[in-house]
Amino acid sequence: MTLLIGVPTETIVGERRLPVVPDVVKKYQALGARVVMQTGAGYPAHYPDEAFPEVRFVDDPKEIFSDADVVLCVQPPKSELLSAMRAGSVLIGLLQPWSNAERVKLLQQKRITAFSMELLPRISRAQSMDVLSSQAAVAGYECALIAAAHCSRFFPMLTYAAGTLRPARVLVIGAGVAGLQAIGTARRIGALVEAYDVRPETREQIESLGAKFVDTGVSAASTGGYARELSAEENAKQAERLARAVAQCDALITTAAVPSKKAPLIVTADMIARMKPGSVVVDMAAESGGNVEGTVAGEIRWINDVQLIGPSSVASRMPAHASEMLAKNVFNFLSPFVKEGALALDWEDEVIVGTCLTHSGEVRHDGVRQALGL
């Protein structure tokens, strides 16, 4: 029986990305699979139905969830749609596994095989499947543009008839994929950029992009490329030295995150109060609690003549390329297990095992099971 891959319309407000694009659909079809999409699913990402000439379109999303062997999504679908899925069918997407125990229980009870792309093992073979990294690159780029658009000073040096204006000073906190993209983008626009990360090994990466590393004397190096949580003493030391750098910048971009946890609070209200009038702060971590005290996701606030921006759905601000990147990541994850038009999951494969959230009525991921008490 030919594998049927379903793509419904995203239901979360502000989500404009799509887990397939026309070129990727052709690749699935070349493997012998068929694709069904909800009418208009691609429009938010600027992919009209006409861009998918070989795809079958349906109006009712429940038809997709009930009929498809594999459902691809960006954000977690609503419970009533998950309830329509057949036992043994497969769900793949950014399923936010730590955020909703009831959703995980539903997947378990329905005996759905769910793969949460946030759980993808950080191994070299999985780099081409790494949705978090590709979408973080989009978010970092967007946050640099948001900062430039709202800053009261030019990012590049500007010479005009009456003299020369110095370039804006930009400080980026966090040098993961998003932070490095923000650094590179701000530098390309022409700003003077400084950057800070609690992992000392990022210094070389920061400096390779033409930015200056802010050394606070605190290290939070950990495994898997992420940072560990700091102790109270380390946080105090970091804050003292970081406050001086924050006070000197014209634009501050924060990108620090700890997987499955609330974003660490790094920039306090006191630091904001010491910033220059007309400065701008872009807190990329706003949706997970924020790195900056006073950030509200989806809002722009003025605090002591400093503009504090908490952008939401950042990657969806550039939906066409973000969708292309995400779709290729998901294809690289799924395609090795599509054989002659049928799905053949290899339960000895570390990518499959590591990314699996639920299967055969069980919560397969130990970390999620323990975090949610399941």
Side-chain angles (χ1 to χ4, degrees), residues 272-286:
I272 297 294
R274 293 167 60 181
M275 294 183 75
K276 292 179 285 188
S279 299
V280 61
V281 179
V282 180
D283 188 349
M284 198 189 82

Side-chain angles (χ1 to χ4, degrees), residues 29 31 34 48 60-61 70 168 173 191 206 292 329 337 368:
Q29 292 169 335
L31 294 174
R34 295 179 295 124
D60 186 357
V70 177
I173 296 179
I206 289 169
V292 182
N329 291 146
F337 309 104
V368 173

Side-chain angles (χ1 to χ4, degrees), residues 146-229:
I146 292 170
H150 289 82
C151 187
S152 64
R153 295 169 175 83
F154 284 109
F155 265 36
M157 181 177 70
L158 182 69
T159 299
Y160 69 121
T164 299
L165 299 174
R166 292 177 56 82
R169 298 177 66 93
V170 176
L171 174 62
V172 178
I173 296 179
V177 174
L180 293 173
Q181 186 64 245
I183 292 166
T185 302
R187 284 285 298 132
R188 286 190 291 272
I189 297 174
L192 294 173
V193 183
E194 294 185 322
Y196 168 69
D197 195 289
V198 289
R199 300 165 297 163
E201 65 269 22
T202 61
R203 180 175 196 144
E204 183 177 346
Q205 295 172 298
I206 289 169
E207 292 177 345
S208 72
L209 292 171
K212 179 182 177 182
F213 182 73
V214 177
D215 191 351
T216 65
V218 175
S219 171
S222 185
T223 58
Y226 292 113
R228 64 173 174 83
E229 290 187 278

